[in-house]
Amino acid sequence: YQRRVHGGNWTTLILRYANTAAYIDPDDDATVANLTHKVILLISATKLISIRRVRALDDFPEVAQLVKSWKRSISMSHIINKFLDDVIGSFRAVVETDAEILEEREDEVDQSVSKSRHQDKKLLWRLYQIQRRATVHRRLLEMTREVILKFTRMKSYHDPYQEDLKDNVQSVVYQVENLHENTTNLLHLHLALVDNRTNHLLYILTIFNVIFIPLTFIAGWYGMNFDGMAELTWPVGYIYVKVLAVTVTILTLSWLKWQGALG
């Protein structure tokens, strides 16, 4: 937006650029404050004042290169475009870093079937962090795109290079949206594999229950020890119960196989 400062006509651009240092520990909380830095550009016809956290131009390589090879013929719009290009480039760099991290997580998801519950939670948290970072970057890129579109409509700073800026920011927006979608799909796949493993364990327990419930019934029935139970006085009563248990087990297993429950 435009405003007057000390009687002069100034344009103020308030932007956020991606903090690449946040990827020293990519498992940190994905908040706007951790993932980005703020930069404020105060622009007049002959002056450009930048207010930022980092004093050096390490976060703005295009601007640093421009200052290093300074020429008096460089226009103000060209300098501003370099700042905007570096802002877009910072988001592109972190999105590409997240895409590489996501590829590593894909391999972990493929192996998640044999992982422990603790490892599942850790992998789930890391995937969520990538998704969270993509969400934050997408929101900030949308805001950055709006700022660039408003800025390019100002005739006093019009430059043919601004069309490239629009294309660049749109390209990064597409990248981060693609990253967000891929991360969401991978999260769903991981949860589906975990559910499938849980269902498989429940399936095995169910098979054991189906086999042992009839045996438990037989043991409970003949464990009542009533005087009127003739089997208790049979000389072959013990053998009779063993044969009955084996027969019931064989019939149960045959039924399960017939139903396709044993694979």
Side-chain angles (χ1 to χ4, degrees):
Y1 57 95
Q2 290 186 345
R3 65 179 181 179
R4 289 185 176 273
V5 180
H6 299 299
N9 193 20
W10 291 75
T11 299
T12 304
L13 296 181
I14 303 176
L15 300 164
R16 280 192 171 273
Y17 63 94
N19 175 23
T20 54
Y23 283 79
I24 295 176
D25 185 2
D27 292 334
D28 285 343
D29 289 339
T31 61
V32 174
N34 287 340
L35 296 178
T36 61
H37 293 317
K38 181 184 289 186
V39 59
I40 302 175
L41 301 180
L42 303 175
I43 309 164
S44 70
T46 58
K47 294 181 181 179
L48 172 62
I49 302 174
S50 64
I51 303 173
R52 58 192 186 277
R53 178 181 297 183
V54 182
R55 184 175 182 180
L57 291 173
D58 296 338
D59 293 339
F60 300 92
E62 293 286 340
V63 178
Q65 184 65 26
L66 188 66
V67 171
K68 187 176 181 180
S69 59
W70 183 259
K71 298 179 181 179
R72 299 183 65 87
S73 60
I74 297 176
S75 64
M76 182 61 66
S77 60
H78 186 63
I79 302 174
I80 300 168
N81 290 340
K82 289 297 183 181
F83 262 108
L84 296 176
D85 196 29
D86 281 334
V87 169
I88 298 170
S90 67
F91 283 107
R92 185 188 299 276
V94 296
V95 169
E96 290 176 351
T97 300
D98 266 338
E100 294 175 359
I101 295 175
L102 185 62
E103 290 182 2
E104 297 175 1
R105 300 293 176 257
E106 287 179 358
D107 296 334
E108 294 182 21
V109 169
D110 292 337
Q111 302 169 3
S112 62
V113 177
S114 60
K115 287 179 179 276
S116 65
R117 189 177 183 88
H118 174 72
Q119 291 173 316
D120 281 338
K121 288 182 178 180
K122 189 175 182 180
L123 177 58
L124 191 64
W125 169 252
R126 288 178 173 176
L127 289 175
Y128 170 75
Q129 286 296 91
I130 297 175
Q131 185 187 52
R132 173 62 181 165
R133 288 196 295 268
T135 301
V136 172
H137 290 146
R138 181 174 60 180
R139 187 175 74 233
L140 293 174
L141 277 167
E142 291 289 349
M143 298 171 64
T144 302
R145 180 169 60 179
E146 290 298 321
V147 171
I148 291 176
L149 289 176
K150 290 180 180 179
F151 178 73
T152 54
R153 294 191 189 105
M154 300 172 61
K155 295 182 178 179
S156 55
Y157 299 107
H158 183 70
D159 189 305
Y161 182 72
Q162 291 173 350
E163 295 300 322
D164 293 336
L165 285 177
K166 295 178 185 178
D167 294 339
N168 287 342
V169 71
Q170 184 59 44
S171 173
V172 181
V173 168
Y174 173 77
Q175 282 183 291
V176 74
E177 287 178 348
N178 188 52
L179 174 65
H180 186 274
E181 182 179 355
N182 290 341
T183 307
T184 302
N185 292 338
L186 197 59
L187 269 170
H188 292 165
L189 175 61
H190 175 61
L191 292 174
L193 290 174
V194 172
D195 289 341
N196 183 65
R197 185 176 62 186
T198 303
N199 292 337
H200 183 68
L201 292 175
L202 292 176
Y203 167 77
I204 294 175
L205 291 176
T206 302
I207 295 296
F208 274 101
N209 285 333
V210 170
I211 294 173
F212 282 98
I213 283 177
L215 299 178
T216 304
F217 174 76
I218 294 173
W221 181 266
Y222 288 106
M224 293 184 292
N225 294 325
F226 289 128
D227 292 337
M229 298 179 67
E231 296 90 342
L232 295 178
T233 59
W234 287 359
V236 293
Y238 176 67
I239 297 176
Y240 164 75
V241 173
K242 288 176 65 176
V243 171
L244 178 62
V246 171
T247 303
V248 170
T249 301
I250 293 174
L251 291 174
T252 303
L253 291 173
S254 299
W255 180 79
L256 290 172
K257 187 174 182 179
W258 179 66
Q259 293 290 329
L262 298 180

